[in-house]
Protein backbone atom coordinates (compact mmCIF):
# COMPACT_ATOMS: atom_id res chain seq x y z
CA UNK A 1 0.00 0.00 0.00
CA UNK A 2 1.52 3.29 -1.12
CA UNK A 3 1.05 6.59 0.70
CA UNK A 4 0.62 9.80 -1.28
CA UNK A 5 0.42 13.37 0.01
CA UNK A 6 -2.11 15.44 -1.88
CA UNK A 7 -0.96 19.05 -2.05
CA UNK A 8 -1.93 21.99 -4.18
CA UNK A 9 0.41 24.82 -3.27
CA UNK A 10 0.51 27.31 -0.41
CA UNK A 11 -3.03 28.63 -0.83
CA UNK A 12 -4.86 25.36 -1.33
CA UNK A 13 -5.74 22.37 0.78
CA UNK A 14 -3.47 21.30 3.66
CA UNK A 15 -1.35 18.18 3.29
CA UNK A 16 -3.56 15.14 3.44
CA UNK A 17 -1.69 11.81 3.58
CA UNK A 18 -3.84 9.10 2.08
CA UNK A 19 -3.24 5.44 1.33
CA UNK A 20 -3.77 4.44 -2.28
CA UNK A 21 -4.04 0.73 -3.03
CA UNK A 22 -2.04 0.35 -6.29
CA UNK A 23 -4.36 -2.36 -7.58
CA UNK A 24 -7.43 -0.13 -7.52
CA UNK A 25 -6.16 3.39 -8.19
CA UNK A 26 -7.05 4.78 -11.61
CA UNK A 27 -4.74 7.79 -11.29
CA UNK A 28 -0.93 7.79 -11.01
CA UNK A 29 0.14 7.25 -7.40
CA UNK A 30 2.53 10.21 -7.39
CA UNK A 31 -0.12 12.76 -8.35
CA UNK A 32 -0.79 15.70 -6.04
CA UNK A 33 -4.20 17.28 -5.55
CA UNK A 34 -3.03 19.96 -8.00
CA UNK A 35 -2.53 17.25 -10.62
CA UNK A 36 -5.98 15.82 -9.89
CA UNK A 37 -7.66 19.24 -10.15
CA UNK A 38 -5.88 19.98 -13.42
CA UNK A 39 -6.94 16.60 -14.79
CA UNK A 40 -10.55 17.41 -13.88
CA UNK A 41 -10.48 20.76 -15.66
CA UNK A 42 -9.24 23.13 -12.96
CA UNK A 43 -12.27 22.73 -10.72
CA UNK A 44 -12.26 24.23 -7.18
CA UNK A 45 -10.64 21.85 -4.65
CA UNK A 46 -13.70 21.88 -2.38
CA UNK A 47 -15.62 19.95 -5.04
CA UNK A 48 -13.31 16.91 -4.81
CA UNK A 49 -13.96 14.41 -2.06
CA UNK A 50 -10.73 13.01 -0.64
CA UNK A 51 -12.30 9.90 0.87
CA UNK A 52 -12.23 7.44 -0.71
CA UNK A 53 -8.90 8.65 -2.10
CA UNK A 54 -9.03 10.17 -5.59
CA UNK A 55 -8.55 7.44 -8.14
CA UNK A 56 -10.12 4.71 -6.01
CA UNK A 57 -13.80 5.71 -5.81
CA UNK A 58 -16.47 3.47 -7.33
CA UNK A 59 -20.14 3.64 -8.27
CA UNK A 60 -20.97 2.21 -4.85
CA UNK A 61 -19.45 5.34 -3.29
CA UNK A 62 -21.68 7.49 -5.52
CA UNK A 63 -24.74 5.57 -4.33
CA UNK A 64 -23.79 5.71 -0.64
CA UNK A 65 -23.20 9.47 -0.70
CA UNK A 66 -26.55 10.01 -2.37
CA UNK A 67 -28.36 7.67 0.05
CA UNK A 68 -26.69 8.60 3.34
CA UNK A 69 -25.10 12.03 2.94
CA UNK A 70 -27.55 13.58 0.45
CA UNK A 71 -24.64 14.59 -1.77
CA UNK A 72 -24.71 14.24 -5.53
CA UNK A 73 -21.33 13.35 -6.98
CA UNK A 74 -20.20 12.44 -10.43
CA UNK A 75 -17.57 9.73 -10.79
CA UNK A 76 -14.73 10.76 -13.07
CA UNK A 77 -11.69 8.49 -13.39
CA UNK A 78 -12.17 7.14 -9.89
CA UNK A 79 -12.69 10.61 -8.37
CA UNK A 80 -15.87 11.78 -6.64
CA UNK A 81 -16.68 15.29 -7.86
CA UNK A 82 -19.57 17.12 -6.21
CA UNK A 83 -22.17 18.69 -8.45
CA UNK A 84 -22.49 22.45 -8.22
CA UNK A 85 -25.95 23.97 -8.41
CA UNK A 86 -27.23 26.91 -6.40
CA UNK A 87 -30.89 27.55 -5.79
CA UNK A 88 -31.20 29.92 -8.77
CA UNK A 89 -29.72 27.34 -11.11
CA UNK A 90 -32.04 24.75 -9.59
CA UNK A 91 -35.08 26.97 -10.25
CA UNK A 92 -33.99 27.34 -13.86
CA UNK A 93 -33.50 23.57 -14.23
CA UNK A 94 -36.96 22.97 -12.72
CA UNK A 95 -38.56 25.28 -15.29
CA UNK A 96 -36.76 23.45 -18.10
CA UNK A 97 -37.98 20.11 -16.78
CA UNK A 98 -41.59 21.27 -16.73
CA UNK A 99 -41.56 22.56 -20.30
CA UNK A 100 -39.54 19.66 -21.69
CA UNK A 101 -41.50 16.97 -19.83
CA UNK A 102 -44.82 18.36 -21.07
CA UNK A 103 -43.63 18.15 -24.68
CA UNK A 104 -42.16 14.67 -24.25
CA UNK A 105 -45.32 13.33 -22.58
CA UNK A 106 -47.61 14.85 -25.20
CA UNK A 107 -45.73 13.11 -28.00
CA UNK A 108 -44.85 9.97 -25.99
CA UNK A 109 -41.16 10.29 -26.80
CA UNK A 110 -39.42 8.96 -23.71
CA UNK A 111 -38.37 10.14 -20.27
CA UNK A 112 -37.06 13.38 -18.76
CA UNK A 113 -34.69 13.19 -15.78
CA UNK A 114 -33.75 15.93 -13.35
CA UNK A 115 -30.58 16.78 -11.46
CA UNK A 116 -30.65 13.49 -9.52
CA UNK A 117 -30.44 11.26 -12.58
CA UNK A 118 -27.14 9.38 -12.27
CA UNK A 119 -26.09 7.69 -15.51
CA UNK A 120 -23.12 5.51 -16.44
CA UNK A 121 -22.42 7.20 -19.75
CA UNK A 122 -19.06 5.47 -20.25
CA UNK A 123 -17.25 2.67 -18.39
CA UNK A 124 -16.41 3.92 -14.89
CA UNK A 125 -17.74 7.39 -15.74
CA UNK A 126 -20.92 8.52 -13.97
CA UNK A 127 -22.43 11.79 -15.11
CA UNK A 128 -25.46 13.65 -13.76
CA UNK A 129 -26.92 16.12 -16.27
CA UNK A 130 -28.98 18.88 -14.69
CA UNK A 131 -31.76 17.88 -17.07
CA UNK A 132 -31.81 15.21 -19.75
CA UNK A 133 -34.12 13.53 -22.24
CA UNK A 134 -33.84 9.80 -22.99
CA UNK A 135 -35.89 8.45 -25.88
CA UNK A 136 -37.83 5.21 -25.71
CA UNK A 137 -35.44 3.83 -28.32
CA UNK A 138 -32.83 3.45 -25.59
CA UNK A 139 -35.13 1.27 -23.48
CA UNK A 140 -35.70 -2.21 -24.95
CA UNK A 141 -39.44 -2.91 -24.79
CA UNK A 142 -39.73 0.33 -22.80
CA UNK A 143 -38.47 -1.49 -19.73
CA UNK A 144 -36.65 0.78 -17.26
CA UNK A 145 -33.34 -0.57 -15.97
CA UNK A 146 -33.54 -1.66 -12.31
CA UNK A 147 -30.09 -0.54 -11.18
CA UNK A 148 -29.64 2.87 -9.46
CA UNK A 149 -26.94 3.89 -11.96
CA UNK A 150 -28.07 2.55 -15.33
CA UNK A 151 -25.79 2.11 -18.31
CA UNK A 152 -27.46 4.86 -20.37
CA UNK A 153 -26.57 7.92 -22.39
CA UNK A 154 -29.29 10.52 -22.91
CA UNK A 155 -30.31 11.86 -26.30
CA UNK A 156 -30.27 15.41 -24.94
CA UNK A 157 -28.13 16.53 -22.00
CA UNK A 158 -28.67 19.97 -20.46
CA UNK A 159 -26.28 21.69 -18.07
CA UNK A 160 -27.12 24.91 -16.24
CA UNK A 161 -23.76 26.53 -15.62
CA UNK A 162 -22.75 27.62 -12.11
CA UNK A 163 -19.87 29.74 -10.83
CA UNK A 164 -18.06 26.59 -9.73
CA UNK A 165 -17.95 25.20 -13.27
CA UNK A 166 -14.82 25.81 -15.34
CA UNK A 167 -14.45 25.98 -19.10
CA UNK A 168 -12.08 23.01 -19.21
CA UNK A 169 -14.36 20.96 -16.97
CA UNK A 170 -17.27 21.54 -19.31
CA UNK A 171 -15.12 20.75 -22.34
CA UNK A 172 -14.25 17.39 -20.80
CA UNK A 173 -17.92 16.75 -20.01
CA UNK A 174 -18.86 17.62 -23.58
CA UNK A 175 -16.28 15.16 -24.88
CA UNK A 176 -17.62 12.42 -22.59
CA UNK A 177 -21.21 13.07 -23.64
CA UNK A 178 -20.59 12.75 -27.35
CA UNK A 179 -18.25 9.78 -26.89
CA UNK A 180 -21.15 8.09 -25.08
CA UNK A 181 -23.60 8.70 -27.91
CA UNK A 182 -25.42 11.83 -26.72
CA UNK A 183 -26.93 13.55 -29.75
CA UNK A 184 -27.49 17.09 -28.46
CA UNK A 185 -26.02 19.09 -25.56
CA UNK A 186 -27.20 22.44 -24.23
CA UNK A 187 -25.12 24.60 -21.92
CA UNK A 188 -27.28 27.36 -20.42
CA UNK A 189 -25.52 30.27 -18.70
CA UNK A 190 -27.75 32.30 -16.32
CA UNK A 191 -25.05 34.95 -15.83
CA UNK A 192 -24.93 35.91 -19.52
CA UNK A 193 -28.55 34.89 -20.16
CA UNK A 194 -27.41 32.91 -23.16
CA UNK A 195 -26.84 29.32 -24.21
CA UNK A 196 -24.74 27.09 -26.42
CA UNK A 197 -26.21 24.23 -28.43
CA UNK A 198 -23.81 21.44 -29.45
CA UNK A 199 -24.57 18.80 -32.07
CA UNK A 200 -20.98 17.52 -31.92
CA UNK A 201 -18.03 18.38 -29.72
CA UNK A 202 -16.88 20.96 -32.26
CA UNK A 203 -20.18 22.13 -33.79
CA UNK A 204 -21.86 24.77 -31.65
CA UNK A 205 -24.54 27.43 -32.04
CA UNK A 206 -24.50 30.46 -29.74
CA UNK A 207 -28.04 31.25 -28.61
CA UNK A 208 -28.76 34.80 -27.43
CA UNK A 209 -31.48 35.71 -24.91
CA UNK A 210 -33.74 36.85 -27.75
CA UNK A 211 -33.47 33.45 -29.46
CA UNK A 212 -34.68 29.91 -28.79
CA UNK A 213 -33.00 26.59 -28.26
CA UNK A 214 -34.21 24.07 -30.82
CA UNK A 215 -34.74 20.35 -30.30
CA UNK A 216 -33.57 19.77 -33.87
CA UNK A 217 -33.53 16.13 -34.99
CA UNK A 218 -33.62 14.95 -31.37
CA UNK A 219 -36.90 16.65 -30.46
CA UNK A 220 -38.48 17.86 -33.72
CA UNK A 221 -40.80 20.79 -33.11
CA UNK A 222 -39.54 21.61 -29.64
CA UNK A 223 -38.42 25.19 -29.00
CA UNK A 224 -37.24 26.74 -25.74
CA UNK A 225 -37.30 30.57 -25.87
CA UNK A 226 -34.56 31.80 -23.53
CA UNK A 227 -36.24 35.08 -22.64
CA UNK A 228 -39.39 33.27 -21.51
CA UNK A 229 -37.32 30.73 -19.62
CA UNK A 230 -35.39 33.33 -17.65
CA UNK A 231 -38.57 35.29 -17.00
CA UNK A 232 -40.34 32.23 -15.57
CA UNK A 233 -37.35 31.53 -13.37
CA UNK A 234 -37.42 35.17 -12.15
CA UNK A 235 -33.91 35.84 -13.42
Amino acid sequence: MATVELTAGPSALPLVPIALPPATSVLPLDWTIADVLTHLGGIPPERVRLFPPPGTATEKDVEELDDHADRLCELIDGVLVEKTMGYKESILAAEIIQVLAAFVRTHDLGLVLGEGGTLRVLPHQVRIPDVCFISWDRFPNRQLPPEPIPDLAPDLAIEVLSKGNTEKEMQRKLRDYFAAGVRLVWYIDPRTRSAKSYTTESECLDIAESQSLSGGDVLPGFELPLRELFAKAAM
Side-chain angles (χ1 to χ4, degrees), residues 109-113 119 133-145 150 152-153 155:
L109 299 175
L111 298 177
V112 174
L113 304 184
L119 301 172
F133 159 69
I134 308 175
S135 68
W136 287 129
D137 292 341
R138 297 186 187 252
F139 299 99
N141 301 317
R142 296 197 177 192
Q143 295 296 311
L144 304 187
L152 275 174
D155 294 85

Side-chain angles (χ1 to χ4, degrees), residues 10 13 15 25 38 55 68-69 90 96 101 121 131 133 136 163 191 200 202 205 211 233-234:
L13 295 175
L15 292 176
S25 179
T38 298
H68 304 297
S90 184
I96 296 170
V121 297
V131 182
F133 159 69
W136 287 129
K163 289 193 299 183
R191 290 169 293 175
T200 71
S202 58
L205 285 177
Q211 298 175 307

Side-chain angles (χ1 to χ4, degrees), residues 68-126:
H68 304 297
D70 197 25
R71 291 295 183 96
L72 285 175
C73 287
E74 295 184 317
L75 180 66
I76 308 166
D77 298 332
V79 183
L80 292 175
V81 179
E82 291 194 11
K83 285 278 292 182
T84 61
M85 179 173 278
Y87 82 94
K88 288 186 177 180
E89 291 85 3
S90 184
I91 293 172
L92 194 60
E95 289 293 337
I96 296 170
I97 290 171
Q98 289 187 48
V99 176
L100 182 59
F103 182 88
V104 168
R105 282 195 302 269
T106 298
H107 299 279
D108 192 24
L109 299 175
L111 298 177
V112 174
L113 304 184
E115 58 197 65
T118 51
L119 301 172
R120 184 190 309 111
V121 297
L122 292 169
H124 312 298
Q125 308 291 325
V126 175

Side-chain angles (χ1 to χ4, degrees), residues 10 20 27-28 48 59 91 97 136-137 141 143 151 162 166 172 185 197 203-204 214:
L20 294 179
L27 303 177
V48 173
E59 291 182 10
I91 293 172
I97 290 171
W136 287 129
D137 292 341
N141 301 317
Q143 295 296 311
D151 191 10
S162 304
T166 69
R172 163 69 188 272
V185 178
S197 177
E203 296 181 24
C204 171
S214 170

